[in-house]
Amino acid sequence: LCTVLLFCGPMLTSCRQVTIFPPTLTFHEGGVATFSCNISMGHDSGSEYSLNWYKETNHSQGQKIAEMSQNNPPTKTEKYQLTNHTPVFKIDILNLHQNDSGSYYCGLITLFEPDRVMESNRSQLLVTAAPKMNPTEEPETEESNPSDHIKAMLLGILLLVGVVLLLIFGYLTITYRRGDVQKPPSENMRAEEKPAVVSISTVDYGVLEFQRDQCTQVPPETWAVDQTEYATIIFPEEKPVTPQRGKKHQD
């Protein structure tokens, strides 16, 4: 208690503390590591201060990697992202590599105070190599891909629709054939089996008599023997003759 009083001053509540957590972190390459620094200012919260982040490698001197004041908004760089949740400050180390391994700590810098710098404890970060992809595990990842399941389901639906359409087509075909069988023979008769219309040409004969000219007087002794002349006239049949009509003509 006496030691605390000597270091903290006459008022215990005004003691400052800076702590970093978690104490250790382990990540693979490509991940994101997050450290948080908690500042306890006691009743002296009106003091102006800023916070620095440091990194040590192989117990070397700490190297400053980022800085943030108490009123700064969140900032982000290519490697670090800083967030201010006073009295807690967070740092995200992005896109980890193996050379990011080391000790990290934060330092509180108080302005207009005799004890201006106060460092926190150290936290360890270990970055390991990214795990190698096992070739035998690739088919399993492909099978677990949701898009492959969706494609397989769509293919199954299409096959099912095709089978249903084939069944409907077969049913309609069988029904149509049964309807043809049940029709009267006259309706199912093919065109070539129907009686053909026969066109028959007929010849009608007539007798024409030619009278002698009454105007010319021929002496009796010179008269010629009476003669009768016949002429054959063919009248074409315009209407087609059916077998019944042809038989009538023959009668």
Side-chain angles (χ1 to χ4, degrees):
L1 181 59
C2 294
T3 305
V4 172
L5 291 174
L6 289 175
F7 280 96
C8 294
M11 297 181 62
L12 182 62
T13 57
S14 63
C15 290
R16 302 185 184 91
Q17 293 182 357
V18 182
T19 55
I20 187 172
F21 57 92
T24 57
L25 286 177
T26 303
F27 284 95
H28 293 301
E29 286 184 326
V32 178
T34 302
F35 289 106
S36 299
C37 188
N38 187 19
I39 301 175
S40 177
M41 297 293 293
H43 291 287
D44 194 15
S45 59
S47 301
E48 295 183 8
Y49 60 89
S50 62
L51 188 73
N52 293 343
W53 291 92
Y54 301 92
K55 174 187 175 184
E56 289 181 355
T57 304
N58 297 327
H59 302 286
S60 61
Q61 184 177 1
Q63 180 182 2
K64 179 180 175 181
I65 59 175
E67 177 182 1
M68 191 174 191
S69 64
Q70 64 187 88
N71 297 321
N72 278 6
T75 58
K76 181 178 180 180
T77 63
E78 184 178 356
K79 187 64 179 177
Y80 304 104
Q81 181 174 355
L82 304 176
T83 308
N84 182 356
H85 298 290
T86 308
V88 179
F89 294 80
K90 294 174 61 178
I91 182 171
D92 296 327
I93 306 173
L94 310 175
N95 193 18
L96 291 173
H97 296 282
Q98 292 188 11
N99 57 5
D100 292 324
S101 300
S103 298
Y104 290 83
Y105 64 96
C106 54
L108 177 65
I109 301 177
T110 306
L111 304 179
F112 311 109
E113 291 288 336
D115 188 9
R116 297 184 58 185
V117 180
M118 181 175 295
E119 296 179 356
S120 67
N121 54 318
R122 270 58 171 169
S123 293
Q124 300 295 325
L125 173 62
L126 178 61
V127 181
T128 59
K132 295 182 180 180
M133 182 66 67
N134 191 353
T136 58
E137 296 179 356
E138 292 181 358
E140 296 180 0
T141 57
E142 293 179 358
E143 292 178 0
S144 62
N145 192 354
S147 61
D148 294 339
H149 291 290
I150 295 174
K151 291 179 181 178
M153 184 168 59
L154 291 177
L155 181 60
I157 293 174
L158 291 177
L159 291 176
L160 181 60
V161 172
V163 172
V164 172
L165 291 177
L166 288 176
L167 292 176
I168 294 175
F169 179 76
Y171 173 76
L172 294 177
T173 303
I174 295 173
T175 305
Y176 178 76
R177 290 182 179 178
R178 288 180 179 177
D180 289 344
V181 172
Q182 294 175 0
K183 288 181 180 180
S186 60
E187 295 183 5
N188 292 331
M189 186 179 297
R190 296 181 180 176
E192 58 270 12
E193 296 178 356
K194 294 182 179 181
V197 178
V198 181
S199 178
I200 300 176
S201 298
T202 60
V203 179
D204 292 336
Y205 295 93
V207 178
L208 297 179
E209 295 182 358
F210 297 89
Q211 296 179 357
R212 286 191 289 263
D213 189 1
Q214 300 294 333
C215 298
T216 305
Q217 298 293 330
V218 180
E221 62 276 8
T222 61
W223 286 356
V225 181
D226 293 340
Q227 295 180 353
T228 302
E229 296 182 0
Y230 297 90
T232 302
I233 301 175
I234 300 175
F235 297 91
E237 185 71 21
E238 295 181 357
K239 296 183 179 179
V241 180
T242 61
Q244 292 80 5
R245 186 178 179 187
K247 184 177 180 181
K248 183 178 179 181
H249 278 280
Q250 291 177 3
D251 295 341

